[in-house]
Amino acid sequence: MEAKLSRAAKKLTTSPIQELSHLAQCCNAINLAEGFPDFPAPPHIKNAAVSAINSDFNQYRHVQGICDYLSQMVKEIHGLDINPLTDVAICCGQTEAFAAAIFATIDAGDEVILFDPSYETYEGCITMAGGVPIHVPLDPPQWTLDPSKLLRSLTERTKAIVLNSPHNPTGKVFTKEELETIARACCSQDCLAITDEVYEHITYDTVKHISLATIPGMQERTVITSSLSKTFSVTGWRVGWAIGPAFLASAIRNIHIKVTDSAPAPFQEAALTALRSPPEYFQTLKSDYQSKRDFIVKLLAGVGFKIQFIPQGSIFLFAELPEDCLLSDVEFVKKLILEAGVVAVPGQGFFHANLSSNGISEGSCSYQKRYIRFAFCKSHETLAAVSERLGNLLNGEGFLR
Amino acid sequence: MQVHCTCTHPPMRFAPSSSFPKFIGFSKHFHTLIAPSSPKLSPFVLAATMSTDTLPTQNHTTATTTQRPLQVAKRLEKFKTTIFTQMSSLAIKHGAINLGQGFPNFDGPDFVKEAAIQAIRDGKNQYARGYGIPDLNLAIAERFKKDSGLVVDPEKEVTVTCGCTEAIAATILGLINPGDEVIVFAPFYDSYEATLSMAGANIKCITLRPPEFAVPIEELKSAMSKNTRAIMINTPHNPTGKMFTREELDSIASLCIENDVLVFSDEVYDKLAFDMEHISPASLPGMFERTVTMNSLGKTFSLTGWKIGWAIAPPHLTWGVRQAHSFLTFANSTPMQWATAEALRAPESYYVELKRDYMEKRAILVEGLESVGFKVFPSRGTYFVVVDHTPFGLENDVAFCEYLIKEVGVVAIPVSAFCLDPEDGKNLVRFTFCKDEGTLKAAVKRMKEKLRK
C-alpha cells in the first residue's frame, strides 16, 4: 500500500525539528528548538479575538481591512505603493502564503534558488510542486553572499529565487548590496522572487530590514510573504499574507481559496487590532528581543561556543561548537538534552548538498555539522533556567567539557 | 513552562539532491498531461484569466514581451474566480437574498465559542502539533467510532487540517501523482477539480442525473480499471443533497477492491442526513485500508470560518496526507482545536436538534420552491436543494440565476459551475437553506411575487 503514496510524498521526510521536540518532551527539556514564544501573546490582541468570536465573526470571511492596513504599513516602512484591493492575498499563515506562491508559479522542472542554510519547509514545498530546489551556500562565518556563487547557479530553467530575511537559522539581515546582487540576478534572468519576511519587525542594533521589493526592478516580480505569528507572538493563529503584483496575488488568492478557502475568521478580525498597534509596540518588541539575544549570546560565548556572527534579526542564534569539541552537532544536541535538559536544533538539517558545491572537498563542507540553532524567543525565567542547567555540562573552569 | 511535543515519525533525513535527474523526466510527463482538454494558453491569456478585475496594464506588457518565466504556472488553468464570488457581488449590488453561498447566517453554539475564548485566555496561542492537538485527535476518533463503528488510532490515523478543504488538498497532493487517473462524480464541489488538476491528475467524470442522481453503475464499471488510482465520493452530496445508498456503496466498494482503487470520501455534511442513515465508505468490508474519510467542524457547528477539519485514514495513507499538510499550512489554529474537541463531545441532543432545525428549514424552502413552480428534486441530506428552472423559460442556469438576482432579488448557484461539462448542469440551480427562517420565508415570498413562468 506504500505504493499508493505520491512520488512527492515519498521524497519528503519528517521534520528533524519536530523529532527533537519529542525527545525533549520525554526528558522534560527546556525547548530552545522550536521558534515560538513561551510567554503570553499581547493582551490587546487576544481581547480582540475574544471579542470577534463573541460578535459572531465566525463564518468564512475575507477581511479587506487587513489588506488596507498592510498597504499603509508597507508604504510607511518601505515606501512601496500597493493596491489593497488587488495586490494582497490573506492566507493561513506565511506557510500557506508561501505554498500558494510556489504552486502559483512553479511548474515541474522549474528551478528555484534557495540560500543555504535554509528553513526546511521551502524545499519540501518546491518539491511538492514539481520544482527543483537549487541551494546557493552563504559563506560562513558571516554568512555573506558571494555574487559569483549566485551567478553560477542561474540557468535558463531558473524560475524564482527565495529570500528569507531576516534569516532563519543564522539571524542574518541581508544588506542592501546583497539585495542589489539578488535583484540584478532576478532581472537579468527575468525570474521571480518570493520572500519570507516573517521576522521583519525583529531586527537589532541599528540594522534595518530592507524589503527586496524596494530595489529597482523588483516590485513587479516579487511576492512578499509574512504573517502575524512572530511579530505578535501568536504562531498558533494562522493568519498570514502574500503581497505582489495583481496577477500573482490573484493567482495566489485563487489557490488559497481551493486549498483552505479562508484564514480563521476571528483571528482575521483580531489582525486589524494587531496591525494598528502603535509604534511603541514595535519598539518594545525589538528591545525585549534584543535583551534576550544579548543574554543568550553572552551565556553561550561565555561557556565556549564560537559566536562569530551575532544575530542582526530573527529570534535565532546560530552558534558554532567550540574548536576542541569533537562531537557533531547532532551528538552535541543529544548530550545537551540528556545531560542538561535543554534542546536546540543541530544545524546540519538546514544545510543541503548543492550543485554549486560540486568539486569542493569534503573538508570545506565540514562546517555544516558544527552549528547549533538556539531559539531565544523565551521568557527571561526560561533563559535564566537554561543558564543554570548548562552548568551540568561545564568543567571546573566553566567551559564545555 | 510548557514543552510542546510535536514529534511525528522516527528519524529520517531529507533525500539528497541526487534525485534531481528524476525531476527532468517528470516535467515532460507532466506537461503533456496537465489539463488535457484545454488548449495551451499563452502567458498573456493565462494572466488575463487569473485576474479578477480588468487586465493588469504594466504587468501584462512584461508577460507578452518575455515569454517565460513571468507567467503563472500551467496548473492554474482551472483556477478562475469562483462562481460563488461572482454571484455574491451581483447579489450585494442588487440587494438580493443570498441562498447561494453555503454558510449559515446564524452563529455557532455558545459552548463552543466559549471554549475557544477560554483557550485564548489560557495562553493556547502558539503552534500546535502539526497533525493536531492530542485531545482533538482523540475526540475525533471517539466521535468517528460512535458514527461509523470503526476504531481508529488518534495518533496514527487522524490528521487535523485547516478545514475540510485542506483535508481534500492534502489528500490529493499527498497521494496523487501527475497522470494518475481519478474518478469524480459530477456535479462536484469546485475544489475537487482544481486540486486534482494542481496534482496533475487525469480526471474521469461520471455524471449523476435527476431525479434521484443515482450512481450509473454500468458506466462506473466501464470507467474503472486497474489504471484507476482513486475515486472521490461526497456523501451527503453537495450540490444535489443526494446520499449514497448502501447498494451504491457496496457496488463501488467491490469495484474498488477488485481494481485496487483508493477512496477519498468527503463527509462534511454527515450530521445533516435527513431521510436516511449516513454510511461512511470506510466502514464497508475491505474498505478502511484504502479510504481517506474527511470531515470538519464548520457545517456541523455553524462555524465555517474557524477552519478545523480532519482526515481519517490508515497509517500508510495518513503518512501522505500529513506530508502534504505540513508543507501547505504546517499547523492549524490552536484555540479553535481546543474548542473543537469540546464541540465533538456534545451530547446526542445537540445533533438531534441540529437535524430537526434543518429539516424545518428544508420544509419551508422546498414547499416554497414547489409552490412557485420549480421542479424540486428530493434533498436527502446537506443544506442544499437542487431544482429544475426550465419552467421559467430561461436559456440556461447561469441566465436563470442572473435573472433571479436582478428581477426577483434572490441568489441561487448555477449547477453547471459544479460540472466538468456545463451542458450537464444547465437545467439545474442550487438553493441553500442554511439561513434563519425569516430569511427563507422572505426569499420564498419574493419568488412567489416576482417569478413568473
Side-chain angles (χ1 to χ4, degrees):
Chain A
M1 265 282 176
E2 273 68 24
K4 295 290 179 189
L5 285 179
S6 69
R7 271 169 229 135
K10 281 184 210 162
K11 276 207 178 332
L12 305 176
T13 59
T14 345
S15 159
I17 296 178
Q18 295 191 329
E19 292 149 33
L20 286 171
S21 280
H22 181 64
L23 184 59
Q25 201 198 30
C26 302
C27 299
N28 227 356
I30 298 179
N31 193 331
L32 299 192
E34 279 214 24
F36 54 76
D38 63 354
F39 46 81
H44 71 292
I45 297 169
K46 289 195 291 191
N47 288 337
V50 166
S51 166
I53 292 172
N54 280 330
S55 311
D56 298 342
F57 286 109
N58 296 309
Q59 309 309 328
Y60 296 127
R61 61 198 298 115
H62 159 82
V63 176
Q64 181 57 34
I66 294 178
C67 309
D68 298 335
Y69 283 124
L70 286 174
S71 85
Q72 266 174 39
M73 284 177 86
V74 139
K75 175 79 189 174
E76 271 165 32
I77 301 175
H78 300 291
L80 281 170
D81 278 306
I82 65 168
N83 181 340
L85 288 172
T86 58
D87 298 353
V88 185
I90 301 169
C91 297
C92 290
Q94 181 273 344
T95 301
E96 202 216 353
F98 183 83
I102 291 288
F103 276 99
T105 55
I106 304 303
D107 280 309
D110 282 349
E111 292 176 2
V112 182
I113 292 179
L114 302 165
F115 296 107
D116 235 32
S118 76
Y119 176 53
E120 52 178 9
T121 300
Y122 307 140
E123 182 188 55
C125 193
I126 293 164
T127 304
M128 196 161 63
V132 182
I134 303 288
H135 296 277
V136 170
L138 298 173
D139 295 336
Q142 301 295 319
W143 310 109
T144 42
L145 172 60
D146 177 345
S148 66
K149 287 191 177 147
L150 173 59
L151 291 175
R152 269 209 302 278
S153 67
L154 299 169
T155 71
E156 75 272 5
R157 297 250 46 161
T158 306
K159 186 70 175 277
I161 298 182
V162 170
L163 176 67
N164 169 219
S165 182
H167 186 245
N168 171 7
T170 65
K172 167 190 177 63
V173 172
F174 282 68
T175 64
K176 185 136 191 266
E177 292 64 42
E178 288 168 329
L179 295 178
E180 281 165 353
T181 301
I182 294 168
R184 265 195 308 276
C186 282
C187 294
S188 71
Q189 286 301 112
D190 195 18
C191 67
L192 302 168
I194 302 174
T195 69
D196 172 359
E197 300 180 31
V198 290
Y199 303 104
E200 55 186 318
H201 296 292
I202 304 175
T203 56
Y204 306 120
D205 309 309
T206 52
V207 175
K208 279 209 154 12
H209 164 66
I210 304 170
S211 198
L212 180 64
T214 58
I215 308 292
M218 290 309 290
Q219 188 173 359
E220 69 202 49
R221 59 181 73 248
T222 303
V223 176
I224 298 172
T225 68
S226 191
S227 77
L228 290 185
S229 295
K230 310 300 199 286
T231 308
F232 299 99
S233 308
V234 286
T235 59
W237 284 16
R238 324 312 295 138
V239 176
W241 49 83
I243 300 173
F247 79 102
L248 280 175
S250 162
I252 290 169
R253 199 178 306 115
N254 288 342
I255 296 215
H256 156 70
I257 289 174
K258 296 293 192 270
V259 172
T260 61
D261 204 15
S262 159
F267 299 136
Q268 286 191 58
E269 279 302 308
L272 296 175
T273 301
L275 294 172
R276 277 199 306 258
S277 297
E280 294 74 55
Y281 173 83
F282 298 95
Q283 282 154 16
T284 310
L285 180 78
K286 280 190 160 85
S287 62
D288 269 357
Y289 270 126
Q290 183 154 331
S291 72
K292 295 178 202 294
R293 176 201 69 167
D294 294 345
F295 181 90
I296 195 116
V297 166
K298 187 162 174 222
L299 172 65
L300 295 178
V303 302
F305 275 92
K306 273 166 67 179
I307 300 176
Q308 293 176 276
F309 180 78
I310 311 246
Q312 301 168 318
S314 90
I315 46 163
F316 300 112
L317 167 64
F318 211 42
E320 203 181 342
L321 289 168
E323 295 283 353
D324 58 3
C325 178
L326 300 171
L327 301 174
S328 72
D329 54 350
V330 173
E331 290 160 349
F332 182 83
V333 170
K334 275 223 176 86
K335 181 172 154 146
L336 192 64
I337 296 173
L338 295 167
E339 294 176 29
V342 175
V343 59
V345 185
Q348 58 177 263
F350 298 97
F351 292 103
H352 305 83
N354 52 68
L355 297 182
S356 309
S357 64
N358 271 350
I360 296 179
S361 72
E362 190 48 51
S364 56
C365 278
S366 62
Y367 68 84
Q368 297 184 357
K369 301 199 167 139
R370 303 291 300 164
Y371 283 88
I372 314 265
R373 187 194 77 173
F374 291 90
F376 51 84
C377 46
K378 309 290 169 185
S379 69
H380 288 286
E381 292 74 25
T382 306
L383 295 176
V386 167
S387 175
E388 243 185 77
R389 291 197 184 188
L390 273 188
N392 293 347
L393 289 180
L394 306 182
N395 60 21
E397 278 103 59
F399 291 104
L400 289 168
R401 277 187 253 106
Chain B
M1 195 172 17
Q2 278 226 310
V3 173
H4 292 256
C5 179
T6 53
C7 176
T8 50
H9 294 275
M12 286 163 90
R13 306 286 326 275
F14 271 111
S17 55
S18 56
S19 54
F20 173 71
K22 280 191 202 154
F23 288 107
I24 299 290
F26 233 34
S27 66
K28 281 198 195 139
H29 184 58
F30 187 79
H31 281 302
T32 51
L33 287 169
I34 188 73
S37 53
S38 0
K40 258 203 166 319
L41 296 176
S42 74
F44 167 73
V45 178
L46 273 174
T49 47
M50 287 315 112
S51 60
T52 51
D53 50 13
T54 50
L55 291 175
T57 47
Q58 72 280 22
N59 288 322
H60 92 238
T61 327
T62 335
T64 42
T65 52
T66 55
Q67 277 306 291
R68 60 161 302 286
L70 270 184
Q71 80 250 33
V72 294
K74 292 179 176 57
R75 66 171 63 81
L76 291 188
E77 286 170 10
K78 300 277 181 229
F79 284 63
K80 304 185 177 66
T81 323
T82 68
I83 192 77
F84 306 97
T85 324
Q86 285 164 18
M87 290 288 154
S88 280
S89 322
L90 207 55
I92 292 171
K93 209 166 136 196
H94 292 272
I97 297 176
N98 197 331
L99 299 192
Q101 276 209 0
F103 56 78
N105 67 347
F106 47 84
D107 207 33
D110 282 338
F111 80 97
V112 181
K113 295 198 292 186
E114 273 149 25
I117 289 169
Q118 193 56 48
I120 292 171
R121 295 219 185 282
D122 290 345
K124 297 180 164 128
N125 299 306
Q126 306 310 327
Y127 290 129
R129 185 176 68 174
Y131 59 96
I133 60 170
D135 194 40
L136 177 55
N137 288 45
L138 183 60
I140 291 168
E142 285 168 356
R143 188 67 236 175
F144 191 57
K145 173 150 194 278
K146 281 198 194 124
D147 293 334
S148 68
L150 290 168
V151 174
V152 299
D153 181 334
E155 293 301 293
K156 300 196 180 117
E157 297 177 318
V158 178
T159 303
V160 179
T161 54
C162 282
C164 187
T165 303
E166 202 224 335
I168 295 165
T171 297
I172 290 173
L173 288 168
L175 299 174
I176 297 297
N177 286 308
D180 280 352
E181 191 178 285
V182 179
I183 295 177
V184 292
F185 292 104
F188 45 71
Y189 174 58
D190 65 335
S191 89
Y192 301 165
E193 190 199 346
T195 316
L196 283 168
S197 106
M198 193 153 79
N202 185 3
I203 301 173
K204 259 191 172 167
C205 190
I206 298 202
T207 307
L208 303 175
R209 299 185 196 282
E212 290 293 325
F213 301 103
V215 176
I217 288 294
E218 290 312 310
E219 209 187 309
L220 181 60
K221 269 192 191 147
S222 44
M224 216 189 263
S225 71
K226 300 246 184 296
N227 286 334
T228 309
R229 174 85 157 197
I231 181 169
M232 299 230 37
I233 295 179
N234 173 215
T235 180
H237 183 249
N238 171 10
T240 64
K242 167 204 176 50
M243 289 183 65
F244 283 64
T245 63
R246 185 163 289 277
E247 292 68 37
E248 287 172 328
L249 290 175
D250 279 338
S251 303
I252 294 172
S254 65
L255 286 170
C256 286
I257 292 169
E258 191 189 316
N259 293 289
D260 195 19
V261 173
L262 299 178
V263 173
F264 299 160
S265 182
D266 173 359
E267 302 180 21
V268 94
Y269 299 100
D270 71 333
K271 300 296 180 291
L272 301 184
F274 308 127
D275 295 347
M276 51 181 272
E277 237 190 86
H278 168 75
I279 304 165
S280 283
S283 63
L284 298 171
M287 292 305 287
F288 181 75
E289 68 192 55
R290 57 183 66 256
T291 305
V292 180
T293 306
M294 300 171 284
N295 209 328
S296 79
L297 167 82
K299 311 297 199 269
T300 309
F301 291 92
S302 311
L303 294 164
T304 59
W306 281 23
K307 312 311 294 160
I308 300 293
W310 51 88
I312 300 173
H316 57 276
L317 296 181
T318 291
W319 173 256
V321 176
R322 284 185 186 177
Q323 290 306 315
H325 164 66
S326 66
F327 296 101
L328 285 174
T329 58
F330 179 69
N332 315 292
S333 163
T334 309
M336 285 18 184
Q337 288 192 61
W338 287 94
T340 304
E342 284 285 314
L344 289 176
R345 292 179 173 126
E348 286 313 303
S349 57
Y350 173 80
Y351 298 101
V352 168
E353 235 189 270
L354 179 79
K355 250 168 72 163
R356 195 188 56 215
D357 217 43
Y358 269 116
M359 285 173 82
E360 279 166 13
K361 296 180 198 303
R362 179 179 67 160
I364 294 172
L365 184 63
V366 166
E367 275 156 29
L369 293 172
E370 278 171 348
S371 74
V372 165
F374 288 101
K375 181 158 169 33
V376 180
F377 301 108
S379 164
R380 312 230 176 269
T382 77
Y383 43 50
F384 301 114
V385 58
V386 155
V387 306
D388 184 323
H389 66 82
T390 53
F392 301 99
L394 273 91
E395 190 195 338
N396 58 40
D397 54 340
V398 176
F400 179 78
C401 286
E402 281 171 1
Y403 168 81
L404 195 66
I405 293 175
K406 292 177 189 162
E407 305 303 326
V408 181
V410 175
V411 189
I413 296 286
V415 169
S416 59
F418 300 93
C419 299
L420 219 48
D421 178 0
E423 280 299 299
D424 284 339
K426 70 175 189 181
N427 293 343
L428 306 173
V429 299
R430 182 194 83 175
F431 287 93
T432 168
F433 49 90
C434 52
K435 308 289 170 188
D436 65 84
E437 293 189 8
T439 303
L440 294 171
K441 288 180 177 155
V444 167
K445 186 156 178 269
R446 282 193 188 182
M447 287 190 280
K448 279 187 177 154
E449 282 165 7
K450 300 197 187 159
L451 199 49
R452 293 276 165 257
K453 289 198 187 162

mmCIF file of all heavy atoms in Angstrom, chain B residues 97-112:
data_model
loop_
_atom_site.group_PDB
_atom_site.id
_atom_site.type_symbol
_atom_site.label_atom_id
_atom_site.label_comp_id
_atom_site.label_asym_id
_atom_site.label_seq_id
_atom_site.Cartn_x
_atom_site.Cartn_y
_atom_site.Cartn_z
ATOM 1 N N ILE B 97 -31.452 38.402 -1.655
ATOM 2 C CA ILE B 97 -31.319 37.499 -0.515
ATOM 3 C C ILE B 97 -30.452 36.331 -0.961
ATOM 4 O O ILE B 97 -30.750 35.671 -1.962
ATOM 5 C CB ILE B 97 -32.708 36.981 -0.077
ATOM 6 C CG1 ILE B 97 -33.566 38.157 0.389
ATOM 7 C CG2 ILE B 97 -32.561 35.948 1.045
ATOM 8 C CD1 ILE B 97 -34.982 37.785 0.742
ATOM 9 N N ASN B 98 -29.382 36.080 -0.200
ATOM 10 C CA ASN B 98 -28.377 35.141 -0.670
ATOM 11 C C ASN B 98 -28.625 33.701 -0.217
ATOM 12 O O ASN B 98 -28.259 33.306 0.887
ATOM 13 C CB ASN B 98 -26.981 35.605 -0.217
ATOM 14 C CG ASN B 98 -25.881 34.916 -1.017
ATOM 15 O OD1 ASN B 98 -26.046 33.798 -1.485
ATOM 16 N ND2 ASN B 98 -24.754 35.598 -1.175
ATOM 17 N N LEU B 99 -29.262 32.928 -1.130
ATOM 18 C CA LEU B 99 -29.411 31.499 -0.857
ATOM 19 C C LEU B 99 -28.416 30.745 -1.752
ATOM 20 O O LEU B 99 -28.642 29.601 -2.141
ATOM 21 C CB LEU B 99 -30.852 31.034 -1.160
ATOM 22 C CG LEU B 99 -31.976 31.692 -0.360
ATOM 23 C CD1 LEU B 99 -33.276 30.939 -0.550
ATOM 24 C CD2 LEU B 99 -31.638 31.760 1.119
ATOM 25 N N GLY B 100 -27.302 31.425 -2.062
ATOM 26 C CA GLY B 100 -26.284 30.842 -2.925
ATOM 27 C C GLY B 100 -25.154 30.216 -2.133
ATOM 28 O O GLY B 100 -24.953 29.012 -2.112
ATOM 29 N N GLN B 101 -24.408 31.088 -1.426
ATOM 30 C CA GLN B 101 -23.239 30.577 -0.697
ATOM 31 C C GLN B 101 -23.618 29.696 0.474
ATOM 32 O O GLN B 101 -24.540 29.984 1.217
ATOM 33 C CB GLN B 101 -22.388 31.753 -0.218
ATOM 34 C CG GLN B 101 -21.459 32.231 -1.298
ATOM 35 C CD GLN B 101 -20.185 32.852 -0.737
ATOM 36 O OE1 GLN B 101 -20.009 32.917 0.449
ATOM 37 N NE2 GLN B 101 -19.303 33.294 -1.609
ATOM 38 N N GLY B 102 -22.852 28.620 0.627
ATOM 39 C CA GLY B 102 -23.190 27.620 1.633
ATOM 40 C C GLY B 102 -22.664 27.881 3.014
ATOM 41 O O GLY B 102 -21.945 27.051 3.566
ATOM 42 N N PHE B 103 -22.970 29.016 3.607
ATOM 43 C CA PHE B 103 -22.660 29.138 5.025
ATOM 44 C C PHE B 103 -23.817 29.826 5.743
ATOM 45 O O PHE B 103 -24.553 30.612 5.168
ATOM 46 C CB PHE B 103 -21.321 29.837 5.282
ATOM 47 C CG PHE B 103 -21.164 31.206 4.687
ATOM 48 C CD1 PHE B 103 -21.737 32.328 5.267
ATOM 49 C CD2 PHE B 103 -20.382 31.382 3.557
ATOM 50 C CE1 PHE B 103 -21.557 33.584 4.727
ATOM 51 C CE2 PHE B 103 -20.188 32.632 3.011
ATOM 52 C CZ PHE B 103 -20.791 33.747 3.597
ATOM 53 N N PRO B 104 -23.981 29.492 7.026
ATOM 54 C CA PRO B 104 -25.152 29.984 7.745
ATOM 55 C C PRO B 104 -25.096 31.495 7.983
ATOM 56 O O PRO B 104 -24.010 32.077 8.033
ATOM 57 C CB PRO B 104 -25.079 29.265 9.103
ATOM 58 C CG PRO B 104 -23.893 28.396 9.084
ATOM 59 C CD PRO B 104 -23.104 28.664 7.870
ATOM 60 N N ASN B 105 -26.280 32.083 8.128
ATOM 61 C CA ASN B 105 -26.324 33.473 8.581
ATOM 62 C C ASN B 105 -26.687 33.525 10.059
ATOM 63 O O ASN B 105 -27.086 34.554 10.575
ATOM 64 C CB ASN B 105 -27.281 34.321 7.730
ATOM 65 C CG ASN B 105 -28.736 33.911 7.898
ATOM 66 O OD1 ASN B 105 -29.038 32.861 8.455
ATOM 67 N ND2 ASN B 105 -29.640 34.736 7.407
ATOM 68 N N PHE B 106 -26.589 32.381 10.733
ATOM 69 C CA PHE B 106 -26.727 32.349 12.183
ATOM 70 C C PHE B 106 -25.418 31.794 12.713
ATOM 71 O O PHE B 106 -24.599 31.277 11.951
ATOM 72 C CB PHE B 106 -27.924 31.499 12.620
ATOM 73 C CG PHE B 106 -27.993 30.170 11.918
ATOM 74 C CD1 PHE B 106 -27.257 29.085 12.375
ATOM 75 C CD2 PHE B 106 -28.797 30.013 10.790
ATOM 76 C CE1 PHE B 106 -27.313 27.861 11.710
ATOM 77 C CE2 PHE B 106 -28.849 28.795 10.124
ATOM 78 C CZ PHE B 106 -28.105 27.717 10.586
ATOM 79 N N ASP B 107 -25.209 31.927 14.014
ATOM 80 C CA ASP B 107 -23.892 31.598 14.545
ATOM 81 C C ASP B 107 -23.855 30.248 15.252
ATOM 82 O O ASP B 107 -24.897 29.625 15.471
ATOM 83 C CB ASP B 107 -23.454 32.708 15.495
ATOM 84 C CG ASP B 107 -21.940 32.812 15.584
ATOM 85 O OD1 ASP B 107 -21.260 32.548 14.568
ATOM 86 O OD2 ASP B 107 -21.442 33.149 16.671
ATOM 87 N N GLY B 108 -22.662 29.836 15.615
ATOM 88 C CA GLY B 108 -22.479 28.555 16.277
ATOM 89 C C GLY B 108 -22.889 28.595 17.745
ATOM 90 O O GLY B 108 -23.181 29.653 18.289
ATOM 91 N N PRO B 109 -22.884 27.418 18.376
ATOM 92 C CA PRO B 109 -23.341 27.344 19.766
ATOM 93 C C PRO B 109 -22.378 28.028 20.738
ATOM 94 O O PRO B 109 -21.155 27.986 20.544
ATOM 95 C CB PRO B 109 -23.399 25.843 20.065
ATOM 96 C CG PRO B 109 -22.671 25.177 18.975
ATOM 97 C CD PRO B 109 -22.491 26.106 17.850
ATOM 98 N N ASP B 110 -22.942 28.618 21.783
ATOM 99 C CA ASP B 110 -22.140 29.346 22.764
ATOM 100 C C ASP B 110 -21.066 28.485 23.416
ATOM 101 O O ASP B 110 -19.952 28.950 23.618
ATOM 102 C CB ASP B 110 -23.049 29.921 23.872
ATOM 103 C CG ASP B 110 -23.768 31.168 23.397
ATOM 104 O OD1 ASP B 110 -23.276 31.803 22.431
ATOM 105 O OD2 ASP B 110 -24.813 31.514 23.974
ATOM 106 N N PHE B 111 -21.390 27.234 23.711
ATOM 107 C CA PHE B 111 -20.411 26.457 24.486
ATOM 108 C C PHE B 111 -19.119 26.252 23.693
ATOM 109 O O PHE B 111 -18.026 26.183 24.266
ATOM 110 C CB PHE B 111 -21.013 25.136 24.990
ATOM 111 C CG PHE B 111 -21.079 24.013 23.975
ATOM 112 C CD1 PHE B 111 -20.084 23.038 23.929
ATOM 113 C CD2 PHE B 111 -22.145 23.917 23.083
ATOM 114 C CE1 PHE B 111 -20.160 21.987 23.009
ATOM 115 C CE2 PHE B 111 -22.222 22.890 22.162
ATOM 116 C CZ PHE B 111 -21.223 21.924 22.115
ATOM 117 N N VAL B 112 -19.246 26.220 22.373
ATOM 118 C CA VAL B 112 -18.041 26.033 21.560
ATOM 119 C C VAL B 112 -17.256 27.341 21.494
ATOM 120 O O VAL B 112 -16.021 27.364 21.614
ATOM 121 C CB VAL B 112 -18.411 25.549 20.139
ATOM 122 C CG1 VAL B 112 -17.162 25.343 19.312
ATOM 123 C CG2 VAL B 112 -19.192 24.249 20.215
#
